[in-house]
Amino acid sequence: MTHWTFKSGTPEPDGSWGPAVDIRSDQPTPARMYDYYLGGKDNFPVDREAAEKVKEVIGPEMTYDAAWENRLFLRRAVRWLVQAGIDQFIDIGAGLPTQGNVHEIAQQVIPDARVVYVDNDPIVLAHGRALLADNATTTVITADLRSPETILDHPELRALIDFSRPVAVLFIAVFHFVTDEENPARIISVFRDAMIPGSYLALTHVTMDGPSPDQVDRIEQVYKSAASPAVFRSRQQIEGLFTGFELVDPGIVRPWQWHPGEDDIRTDWLFAGVAAKTAQE
């Protein structure tokens, strides 16, 4: 087993550094593979090897396009949410830092907007803490969305997020790494119950409605060797993840179709949507 050890990048109040972060480099992770798709450098040979296998299935350009289509949706959704009055964000499965992060977009409009990044890959913590060392209203924590109660009870999240006020919870390209047995609907319901009316959910998910069955099967095989599997779902199944929320226009669509802009990149690999939690009758 191969490990790399990093400090967290953030000094403690007494001047010491936080605990070392033990990072496995012998198994690909979705966060590092996604970083490679976006052209980043925070990945290991094992991640690049797995990502290249995905490229063999759908082509290098389409892989790049799908990753950036997803990223551009995130940016547009955050801008829309800020304009809707949201100043608190929880980004679940945030991945590695790249240009145009949630806090950068939100804080352009609301300088004291609060953002908590959550990921189960410890390299995200190492890089995120370094990036956010001087940002008092943004933090990153290591946790797994499969344990939503652990995320919601995390002291750093509770220090920043006020659940008596509206909050946006972002699940961008993350639930396709959660199996049916791990019950994604229950995971979302735990967050939904913690959110007051006026809060929002934003979500993207890879879909079997578009790619060929052979492409879906081959990509799922690649991710079987990764830290999390890949699960393609139908549009109807993805819509089911929004149960208890009211979709905002234009509903569940391809990411590029959601409030499109001049930076659109068009593929048929994902669906996306933003939904509000409304008052219960």
Side-chain angles (χ1 to χ4, degrees):
M1 184 180 297
T2 304
H3 293 272
W4 293 80
T5 301
F6 295 87
K7 294 298 185 180
S8 69
T10 304
E12 301 297 336
D14 63 2
S16 64
W17 289 88
V21 179
D22 200 18
I23 297 171
R24 289 185 58 173
S25 61
D26 61 336
Q27 183 181 42
T29 70
R32 298 193 311 249
M33 289 175 68
Y34 187 55
D35 175 72
Y36 181 65
Y37 297 147
L38 294 174
K41 301 181 184 300
D42 296 315
N43 46 74
F44 293 113
V46 68
D47 305 301
R48 297 190 285 274
E49 180 181 353
E52 286 297 328
K53 290 179 181 178
V54 173
K55 289 184 179 182
E56 291 175 7
V57 177
I58 66 176
E61 184 175 346
M62 185 62 70
T63 305
Y64 174 90
D65 284 352
W68 272 105
E69 178 190 24
N70 180 75
R71 190 73 191 178
L72 293 171
F73 164 81
L74 170 64
R75 296 175 183 176
R76 293 197 306 274
V78 171
R79 292 189 190 101
W80 187 93
L81 289 163
V82 171
Q83 292 169 0
I86 298 297
D87 62 359
Q88 301 187 108
F89 296 84
I90 306 173
D91 187 358
I92 311 290
L96 284 151
T98 189
Q99 186 178 5
N101 289 302
V102 172
H103 74 281
E104 292 174 325
I105 295 170
Q107 290 170 4
Q108 285 176 357
V109 181
I110 305 175
D112 59 351
R114 300 186 170 208
V115 179
V116 176
Y117 294 108
V118 183
D119 204 285
N120 67 350
D121 190 332
I123 200 171
V124 175
L125 175 69
H127 286 265
R129 287 290 170 91
L131 175 70
L132 301 169
D134 298 323
N135 191 316
T137 59
T138 308
T139 193
V140 56
I141 62 175
T142 300
D144 196 309
L145 86 161
R146 298 167 186 83
S147 300
E149 295 88 353
T150 300
I151 296 173
L152 290 170
D153 291 338
H154 196 287
E156 290 188 49
L157 183 143
R158 286 288 176 175
L160 284 181
I161 302 299
D162 178 1
F163 284 99
S164 70
R165 300 175 53 248
V167 60
V169 180
L170 315 176
F171 292 107
I172 306 301
V174 66
F175 269 111
H176 44 247
F177 300 121
V178 178
T179 66
D180 291 342
E181 291 73 21
E182 291 166 329
N183 202 343
R186 187 200 77 85
I187 294 169
I188 292 180
S189 73
V190 173
F191 285 96
R192 184 180 65 239
D193 290 347
M195 300 157 69
I196 69 166
S199 297
Y200 288 88
L201 167 72
L203 185 150
T204 67
H205 198 299
V206 296
T207 181
M208 61 181 67
D209 296 340
S212 71
D214 178 66
Q215 287 176 315
V216 170
D217 180 67
R218 290 170 65 189
I219 291 175
E220 288 180 339
Q221 291 300 316
V222 171
Y223 275 92
K224 282 184 177 180
S225 67
S228 298
V231 182
F232 285 72
R233 293 186 170 96
S234 67
R235 185 188 185 282
Q236 182 177 9
Q237 289 173 312
I238 296 168
E239 185 173 4
L241 297 176
F242 288 91
T243 298
F245 293 89
E246 183 176 320
L247 285 159
V248 303
D249 288 336
I252 297 175
V253 293
R254 302 296 185 184
W256 65 266
Q257 294 175 312
W258 200 89
H259 297 265
E262 296 179 357
D263 57 358
D264 297 334
I265 296 177
R266 304 183 179 194
T267 80
D268 59 359
W269 284 89
L270 300 112
F271 279 114
V274 175
K277 180 174 180 180
T278 57
Q280 300 296 316
E281 297 184 2

